[in-house]
Amino acid sequence: MRVTKLPAFKVFVVLAIAVSMSACSMFGHKKDTNDTLPVDKLYAKAHDSMEHADYSAAAKAYQRLIARFPSGDYNEQAQLDLAYSQYKDNQSDDAYSTVNRFIKTYPTHKHVDYAYYLRGLINFDRTGGAMERLLQPGDPQTRRDQGFNLKSFDDFSELSRRFPDSAYTADARQRMIYLRNLLAQFEINVAEYYLRNKAYVASANRAQYVIEHYQQAPQTGDALAILSRSYLGMEQKALADQTRQVLALNYPDHPYLNDPKWPHSPSLLRKAIPFSGHH
C-alpha cells in the first residue's frame, strides 16, 4: 500500500490544530467550577480548601458563593468562613470588614458570638514585622501604637458582656488580661520617658492613668513609684510622700522604696541601639 507523505508545512499545521484542541479540552476540564457548582458543592469545595490551609483558594470560593447565592444558610456561614480565611491569609483589613458586615447584618445569628471573637483575634494579631521583633528588646508591642490592642480589648470585652456563657468567652478574658498588661506597660514606658526628660506633669498624668484604668495590672506599682517621683519633681513633697506610703502598703517589695532614683536611665550603649525604644 502506498503511503502518502504530507509536506512538512501541512504536518506542522495538523500538529498545531491537534495541540490547540487538546489545550482547549484541558482548559475546559480545568475551568473554574466556582461559576457552575451548586451551592452545597461549592461550599464543600471552599470548606475543603480552608481545611487544607489553602486560605486564598477558600476565600475566592466563598466570595463566589456569596455573590451567586445572596441568601440562605450557606451564604451566612460562608461569610463567617470567608472572614476566617481572610484572617488566616493575612488579609486583616478584608477580614475585619467581612466580620463587621456579618455582625451588622445578622446580629442575632446563632454564631454571632464567634464573629465577635474572630473580630477580636483579627485585631489581636495585627502586630509588627519580624524585623521589629528582632531589633526591639522585650515585648515590642509595648513600644508601638496601641490602637489595635485597644480595639481588640474592646472586641473581647463586648463578647464577654454580650455572651458570658459563650465557648469563646474564657479565652477572650485571658486575652483581655494580656492586653490590659500590654496597654499598662505602654503607658509606663511613656511615663518613664517623660520622667527622664523632667516633664513631670506629663509623667504624672501617664502614671495616674495606669492607676485609674489598669488597677489590676502588675504595672500599678511602677505607676505609683513614677507618680511619687513626679510629685517630687514638681516640688509637691506631701503628695509624693502620700503616694509613696500607698506604694509601700500595696507593693512592699517595690525597688523604688529602697532606691529613690528608680527607674534608672538606660545606659549610653543601650540608647545607641537602633529601635531600642530609649531616646
Side-chain angles (χ1 to χ4, degrees):
M1 183 177 68
R2 183 179 178 183
V3 178
T4 303
K5 294 184 179 180
L6 293 175
F9 176 75
K10 290 184 177 180
V11 172
F12 174 78
V13 171
V14 171
L15 287 175
I17 293 173
V19 170
S20 175
M21 293 179 63
S22 175
C24 289
S25 175
M26 178 179 65
F27 284 116
H29 179 71
K30 289 187 176 182
K31 182 181 178 181
D32 188 358
T33 55
N34 291 348
D35 290 326
T36 58
L37 285 174
V39 62
D40 56 338
K41 292 185 178 180
L42 180 54
Y43 178 83
K45 175 187 175 183
H47 186 73
D48 184 67
S49 294
M50 186 176 68
E51 288 291 302
H52 287 84
D54 189 354
Y55 299 114
S56 179
K60 290 177 182 178
Y62 284 128
Q63 286 171 326
R64 195 69 194 115
L65 185 153
I66 293 166
R68 288 182 58 206
F69 307 99
S71 62
D73 292 341
Y74 281 107
N75 178 288
E76 295 171 13
Q77 186 60 45
Q79 291 187 46
L80 273 180
D81 291 345
L82 171 60
Y84 177 79
S85 298
Q86 291 170 328
Y87 158 64
K88 295 296 288 184
D89 199 35
N90 296 317
Q91 302 177 42
S92 299
D93 290 339
D94 291 338
Y96 193 71
S97 296
T98 301
V99 78
N100 265 338
R101 186 164 53 249
F102 179 88
I103 291 171
K104 291 178 181 178
T105 307
Y106 307 107
T108 60
H109 192 275
K110 61 182 179 179
H111 296 313
V112 74
D113 59 331
Y114 170 73
Y116 280 105
Y117 177 70
L118 179 57
R119 187 168 69 174
L121 283 181
I122 292 167
N123 282 321
F124 187 86
D125 287 341
R126 292 203 206 201
T127 59
M131 185 61 67
E132 184 179 21
R133 294 190 186 98
L134 287 172
L135 293 176
Q136 286 194 342
D139 191 334
Q141 290 200 60
T142 62
R143 301 194 184 281
R144 70 166 66 92
D145 179 76
Q146 298 298 296
F148 289 130
N149 284 335
L150 283 168
K151 286 183 179 180
S152 181
F153 186 92
D154 289 342
D155 292 333
F156 289 136
S157 178
E158 189 167 6
L159 167 65
S160 300
R161 178 175 57 84
R162 288 175 176 266
F163 307 98
D165 299 322
S166 168
Y168 306 103
T169 298
D171 182 74
R173 286 173 175 160
Q174 290 300 311
R175 292 176 187 272
M176 286 173 66
I177 293 172
Y178 172 78
L179 289 168
R180 177 204 65 192
N181 294 345
L182 276 183
L183 293 166
Q185 187 59 53
F186 174 80
E187 297 295 333
I188 292 297
N189 290 344
V190 177
E192 287 184 8
Y193 171 82
Y194 285 134
L195 187 65
R196 288 195 299 271
N197 288 277
K198 299 182 180 180
Y200 299 119
V201 174
S203 63
N205 287 339
R206 290 285 184 160
Q208 189 66 44
Y209 185 87
V210 173
I211 294 166
E212 292 177 357
H213 292 85
Y214 306 116
Q215 294 180 4
Q216 303 301 316
Q219 290 82 3
T220 304
D222 291 348
L224 286 166
I226 291 172
L227 184 59
S228 179
R229 279 202 59 186
S230 299
Y231 282 142
L232 286 174
M234 291 186 284
E235 299 183 353
Q236 300 285 336
K237 190 174 185 307
L239 288 174
D241 290 343
Q242 183 181 359
T243 304
R244 192 176 187 280
Q245 290 173 10
V246 174
L247 174 65
L249 181 64
N250 292 277
Y251 300 92
D253 297 324
H254 196 278
Y256 174 66
L257 298 173
N258 296 313
D259 182 1
K261 293 185 178 181
W262 183 96
H264 294 280
S265 297
S267 66
L268 292 175
L269 176 61
R270 191 170 183 185
K271 281 184 178 181
I273 299 174
F275 307 105
S276 69
H278 297 287
H279 307 287

